[in-house]
């Protein structure tokens, strides 16, 4: 029997920080898992190195489900981003190994293709409305069928407005988190007008998305959703924090704007009410933060029963390993909606050699590459030592902390 011989944890910052797990079997087969938790990377690296790697050595790499149960139930402490990200890294690496052993791409192990490619949405942004309109048009020219639109709110700025390079669209600071001002009234006055401007100038021939990034209360979200109904959004994302899943009932009663939730949620229990009461239209949990391919499929299957579709998180702080794993899952599930996609920085792609390809607004993987189709170049990674960085923090104009 082949056994797990080695498990290594790499932390590097090629463009931004990534934590990567590489498992090697006694037959010399390797598998990769992403373990990146933006701004809290070293916590997952330590969880893996100190508490998980010693448990893996000598185990059968083929028993993916059993390993998942062992790491989840065996820890006693349940859920949470650090634990679920660590479990995800092991799970995805084992799927990668299983594919390589079978000589098949992972999507084949998951049941085979349900579609020819995976529709993605890109991130358009602007410091003002004309800049945003140009950026949305640029994505359309690149072939995107779905575009997310964010513009800076006059006087208070806004999350999601790219500064210079794609990798740094969320300004990340080295010493301490950057503090950004926030005003809900200013956002509520302005955001519906730029979404309307996008439709007025560029029409309805593509999917338009918007990320509220947890900034509103349920009632404010209901007001916002109602105001933008005529823009026919594909979704409004994270209109309010989802710790209280029940609070989405209020939003739902007042607006038909579709709702997407899930990028910070880590388990099926965190989306259970949202799904079973049909309070959302898209579930955005990801491979890396929601326990790997094994657990994400469980979430997506539950969602399918309630006509909730998928829309996995795919910002650049999720590594190319996660993007590849997401594409393999997206290709197979019956209830796929859309996949978020931001191109990774060139430095990132020097370290992660990926076979995922973008064409005509969709991502796909090759039919003849076994496993996930991504390799980690350790030598290239050595040129990008770890640089600690934090996500920003939002403060209201009176100085109090707001949800970022
Ligand atoms: C965002 C993310 O892509 C999105 O929808 O909400 O960029 C998010 O802010 C980061 O991934 C946080 O790490
Ligand atoms: Mg988001």
């Amino acid at each position: 029997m082949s056994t797990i011989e080695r498990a290594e944890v790499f932390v590097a910052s090629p463009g931004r920080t990534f934590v990567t797990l590489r498992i090697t079997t006694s037959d010399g087969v390797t598998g990769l898992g992403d373990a990146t938790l933006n701004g809290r990377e070293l916590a997952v690296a330590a969880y893996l190195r100190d508490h998980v790697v010693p448990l893996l050595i000598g185990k059968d790499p083929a028993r993916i489900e059993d390993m998942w149960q062992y790491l989840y139930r065996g820890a006693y402490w349940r859920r949470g981003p650090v634990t679920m990200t660590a479990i995800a890294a092991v799970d995805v690496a084992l799927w990668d190994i299983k594919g390589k052993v079978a000589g098949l791409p992972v999507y084949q192990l998951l049941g085979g293709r349900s579609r020819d490619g995976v529709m993605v949405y890109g991130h358009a942004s602007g410091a003002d409305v004309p800049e945003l309109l140009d950026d949305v048009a640029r994505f359309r020219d690149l072939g995107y069928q779905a575009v997310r639109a964010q513009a800076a709110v006059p006087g208070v700025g806004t999350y999601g407005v790219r500064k210079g390079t794609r990798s740094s669209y969320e300004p990340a600071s080295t010493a301490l988190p950057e503090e950004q001002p926030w005003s809900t009234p200013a956002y509520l006055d302005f955001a519906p007008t730029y979404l309307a401007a996008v439709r007025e100038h560029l029409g309805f021939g593509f999917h338009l998305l918007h990320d509220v990034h947890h900034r509103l209360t349920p009632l404010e979200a209901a007001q916002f959703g109602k105001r933008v109904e005529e823009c026919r959004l594909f979704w409004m994302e994270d209109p309010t924090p989802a710790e209280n899943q029940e609070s989405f009932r209020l939003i739902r009663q007042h607006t038909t704007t579709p709702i997407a939730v899930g990028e910070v949620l880590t388990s099926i229990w965190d989306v259970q009410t949202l799904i079973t009461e049909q309070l959302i239209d898209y579930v955005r949990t990801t491979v890396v933060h929601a326990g790997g391919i094994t657990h994400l499929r469980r979430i997506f299957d539950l969602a399918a029963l309630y006509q909730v579709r998928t829309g996995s998180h795919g910002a650049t702080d999720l590594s190319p390993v996660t993007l590849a794993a997401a594409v393999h899952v997206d290709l197979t599930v019956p209830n796929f909606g859309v996949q978020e996609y931001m191109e990774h920085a060139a430095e990132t792609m020097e370290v992660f050699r990926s076979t995922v390809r973008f064409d005509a607004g969709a991502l796909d993987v090759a039919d003849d590459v076994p496993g996930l189709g991504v390799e980690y170049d350790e030598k290239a990674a050595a040129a990008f030592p770890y640089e600690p960085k934090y996500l920003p923090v939002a403060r209201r104009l009176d100085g109090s902390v707001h949800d970022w």
Side-chain angles (χ1 to χ4, degrees):
M1 179 188 87
S2 161
T3 56
I4 295 176
E5 201 168 83
R6 203 162 61 241
E8 300 150 285
V9 179
F10 303 105
V11 182
S13 301
R16 57 193 311 163
T17 299
F18 298 106
V19 180
T20 308
L21 175 73
R22 185 170 64 198
I23 295 181
T24 306
T25 71
S26 51
D27 294 333
V29 181
T30 58
L32 289 183
D34 178 18
T36 309
L37 187 60
N38 196 2
R40 296 292 185 272
E41 296 88 355
L42 298 187
V44 188
Y47 189 107
L48 281 169
R49 281 184 183 135
D50 297 343
H51 304 293
V52 174
V53 168
L55 311 181
L56 302 179
I57 310 305
K59 294 273 185 351
D60 180 353
R63 298 191 180 199
I64 299 178
E65 179 66 48
D66 184 66
M67 180 64 80
W68 198 95
Q69 300 295 334
Y70 179 75
L71 293 177
Y72 183 80
R73 295 174 195 240
Y76 185 62
W77 310 106
R78 291 177 184 240
R79 295 149 66 175
V82 174
T83 300
M84 296 305 274
T85 303
I87 295 176
V90 175
D91 183 79
V92 171
L94 294 184
W95 280 103
D96 193 16
I97 289 172
K98 197 180 271 301
K100 288 180 181 172
V101 170
L104 292 171
V106 168
Y107 74 75
Q108 291 289 15
L109 308 178
L110 301 176
R113 284 179 182 272
S114 291
R115 54 192 54 78
D116 299 329
V118 168
M119 180 175 76
V120 296
Y121 68 91
H123 284 202
S125 64
D128 53 28
V129 178
E131 215 178 279
L132 173 66
L133 295 179
D134 284 352
D135 210 29
V136 176
R138 183 175 68 84
F139 276 96
R140 295 287 291 132
D141 293 344
L142 289 169
Y144 282 79
Q145 302 155 41
V147 185
R148 184 186 96 159
Q150 311 288 134
V153 179
V156 294
T158 266
Y159 143 83
V161 177
R162 214 165 33 232
K163 282 193 180 165
T165 72
R166 278 178 192 193
S167 56
S168 63
Y169 88 106
E170 288 142 354
S173 39
T174 351
L176 290 170
E178 182 184 320
E179 300 199 354
Q180 300 175 341
W182 175 254
S183 159
T184 298
Y187 167 80
L188 282 176
D189 274 350
F190 181 58
T193 66
Y194 70 70
L195 293 171
V198 170
R199 284 311 197 194
E200 193 188 317
H201 292 271
L202 301 165
F204 284 81
F206 63 99
H207 300 300
L208 179 62
L209 296 80
H210 178 69
D211 191 350
V212 182
H213 221 259
H214 311 111
R215 300 291 168 98
L216 301 177
T217 64
L219 190 68
E220 289 161 353
Q223 292 166 343
F224 177 84
K226 231 171 152 167
R227 261 194 82 188
V228 298
E229 269 168 21
E230 293 202 341
C231 299
R232 279 187 261 145
L233 293 188
F234 187 88
W235 76 38
M236 63 171 170
E237 177 178 327
D238 292 330
T240 196
E243 284 100 329
N244 292 325
Q245 297 181 51
E246 297 75 13
S247 69
F248 282 74
R249 288 182 194 137
L250 188 144
I251 307 174
R252 211 48 165 174
Q253 276 162 18
H254 292 288
T255 176
T256 56
T257 295
I259 301 172
V261 171
E263 67 180 48
V264 299
L265 304 178
T266 62
S267 81
I268 199 162
W269 310 108
D270 304 320
V271 289
Q272 186 183 15
T273 305
L274 293 174
I275 291 174
T276 58
E277 290 193 23
Q278 296 181 306
L279 299 177
I280 56 172
D281 303 277
Y282 297 90
V283 60
R284 296 190 64 259
T285 41
T286 55
V287 165
V288 55
H289 300 133
I293 292 173
T294 299
H295 194 65
L296 193 67
R297 279 225 298 177
R298 223 148 254 159
I299 296 175
F300 287 180
D301 278 343
L302 178 70
L305 302 181
Y306 294 91
Q307 291 175 295
V308 172
R309 290 192 282 160
T310 73
S312 286
H313 187 202
T316 43
D317 54 286
L318 284 62
S319 94
V321 176
T322 286
L323 186 67
V327 172
H328 283 275
V329 173
D330 295 339
L331 283 171
T332 63
V333 293
N335 53 329
F336 171 72
V338 72
Q339 171 67 48
E340 181 177 16
Y341 174 54
M342 289 178 71
E343 241 178 279
H344 281 105
E347 301 96 295
T348 305
M349 300 319 290
E350 278 171 39
V351 172
F352 295 89
R353 303 270 158 78
S354 175
T355 53
V356 172
R357 289 290 166 262
F358 173 86
D359 183 38
L363 289 176
D364 202 359
V365 291
D367 290 331
D368 56 358
V369 178
L372 293 172
V374 185
E375 294 303 325
Y376 188 76
D377 186 335
E378 247 181 286
K379 286 205 187 95
F384 303 103
Y386 169 60
E387 280 177 59
K389 281 194 177 156
Y390 288 98
L391 282 164
V393 169
R395 285 190 188 274
R396 299 179 198 106
L397 299 183
D398 70 356
S400 55
V401 174
H402 194 69
D403 296 294
W404 185 76

